[in-house]
Amino acid sequence: MRFHTHEALILEVFDLQDADRIVAFLTRERGHKRGVARGARRRHSRFAGQLQPLAKARIDWGEKEGRELVRISGADLVRPPRGLDDLEGLLLADYLADHMLRFAQEDEPSELYFRLLDSTLEALAAGVDRDLAVRYFEAWVLRIAGIFPAPRGCPQCGESFGAEGAVLPPAGEALLCPRCAGGTPGAGDRPSAGAAAPGGLAVPVPVLAFLVAVGRLSLPELAAQGGAEPAVLRRAEELASRVRRAFLGHELKSYDVMRRTLAEVAGAG
Ligand SMILES: [Zn+2]
C-alpha cells in the first residue's frame, strides 16, 4: 500500500451499503481518483461533513497496485462548498464536477484543471454571476484539453475574422470564416457563401470578442469588466456544447439533466 496526502476538490459522493461512501476527488498531483471512505455515513465518523461535493479538503489515502478504488483514511476540510445549495446550484455543481471526471485523467498531474475548478468555485462563492462563471469554465476546460476553437482567425485561409464573424461547421471543431465554411475550395469568392451553411453555428463578432477575453482575463477580471450580454453567453454555451460533443462523442449527462430539470421547473412555475 502506498500512502498519499494531497489537497483535493471533492467531485462526487455516493452512499454504499453499510456505512461507507465512495468519493471521487480531483488532485493537482494525481488527477482524479475514486476511493472508499469506510464508516463515512456513521454519525460520529471522522469524515462527518468533510466529504461533500465541491468541498476542498486535504485527503489521506492508500493505493494498492492494480486496484482502481483507493482507501481514504482521513479528510480535513479546507473550504466548504459555498453558494451552490439551491436547485440550480446543485445542478451546476454536478455539471462542473462532471467535466473534471471526463477531462482530467486518473493518476496524471492535473494542475490546470484543479486551478480552474478551484478558482471557479471561489468566484461563485464571492457572488460572480453564475452564467458568466460557468461559460468561462466550459471554455477553459476545452482550452486545457487543447480543443478550444481559435477565435481570432480562419485556419483554412489564414484571414482574421472580420465583421461577418465566424462559423462552426456542423461536424467541425474549428471556427472558419463564413466563406471557407460554406464554399467548396476554390469557390471562396461567392459573397457570404457560408453564413447559411446548414447545421453550422454562426459565431458573431461579440461572441468572438468574448472568447478572446476569456483567454486573456481571469474570471474576476472579466466580471469586473461587465461580463457579457445574455445572448453572447447563450451562443458561447452552444459553441462549447457542440465542441465538447464532437470530442467526447456524446453530451455530458449532467448537462442534459440540468437543462431538462430547469426547463421543467420553469414550466411548472
Ligand atoms: Zn477562411
Side-chain angles (χ1 to χ4, degrees):
M1 187 93 88
R2 294 185 49 182
F3 294 94
H4 302 267
T5 299
H6 291 298
E7 217 168 51
L9 295 163
I10 312 289
L11 301 177
E12 274 184 327
V13 180
F14 291 114
D15 288 347
L16 278 186
Q17 71 264 36
D18 303 328
D20 303 339
R21 287 206 160 112
I22 296 265
V23 181
F25 56 96
L26 178 72
T27 64
R28 297 179 184 88
E29 298 82 359
R30 314 262 306 149
H32 76 77
K33 308 289 302 180
R34 225 171 254 283
V36 187
R38 299 240 178 262
R41 293 169 66 193
R42 290 200 191 99
R43 201 180 313 166
H44 298 294
S45 156
R46 66 208 139 119
F47 298 118
Q50 320 282 305
L51 299 172
Q52 312 163 56
L54 297 191
K56 190 180 195 178
R58 206 166 175 74
I59 295 192
D60 307 307
W61 77 88
E63 292 182 13
K64 256 190 195 156
E65 194 81 35
R67 291 261 182 95
E68 202 192 315
L69 276 181
V70 304
R71 169 81 69 98
I72 297 175
S73 52
D76 284 310
L77 192 63
V78 174
R79 183 185 65 211
R82 276 174 299 168
L84 291 170
D85 39 15
D86 57 305
L87 174 64
E88 186 197 57
L90 293 170
L91 292 164
L92 283 176
D94 274 349
Y95 179 56
L96 299 181
D98 206 359
H99 279 85
M100 298 294 119
L101 293 166
R102 298 292 154 216
F103 285 89
Q105 302 293 308
E106 210 178 314
D107 285 338
E108 294 204 2
S110 299
E111 173 77 28
L112 293 177
Y113 286 119
F114 187 97
R115 266 167 42 195
L116 175 62
L117 181 57
D118 196 28
S119 61
T120 303
L121 294 174
E122 288 277 4
L124 286 168
V128 165
D129 177 62
R130 279 180 179 174
D131 199 5
L132 180 68
V134 176
R135 304 297 76 85
Y136 186 92
F137 176 90
E138 286 164 344
W140 263 100
V141 167
L142 301 181
R143 286 181 74 102
I144 295 169
I147 54 173
F148 187 72
R152 291 179 189 275
C154 175
Q156 226 164 82
C157 66
E159 296 285 325
S160 295
F161 294 131
E164 292 179 333
V167 174
L168 184 76
E173 290 166 5
L175 290 171
L176 303 177
C177 72
R179 271 197 307 193
C180 291
T184 47
D189 52 344
R190 276 190 294 147
S192 65
L201 183 72
V203 182
V205 170
V207 180
L208 292 173
F210 173 71
L211 299 176
V212 169
V214 161
R216 285 180 28 200
L217 302 175
S218 71
L219 176 53
E221 286 168 345
L222 189 61
Q225 290 195 0
E229 296 292 319
V232 169
L233 296 177
R234 292 290 67 71
R235 193 52 60 95
E237 177 179 6
E238 176 66 25
L239 175 69
S241 169
R242 287 188 182 211
V243 173
R244 189 169 64 222
R245 278 199 312 257
F247 177 74
L248 294 174
H250 58 86
E251 183 50 279
L252 293 173
K253 197 170 158 214
S254 56
Y255 184 68
D256 292 333
V257 169
M258 175 171 66
R259 301 237 305 182
R260 207 168 50 237
T261 307
L262 294 178
E264 275 170 24
V265 170

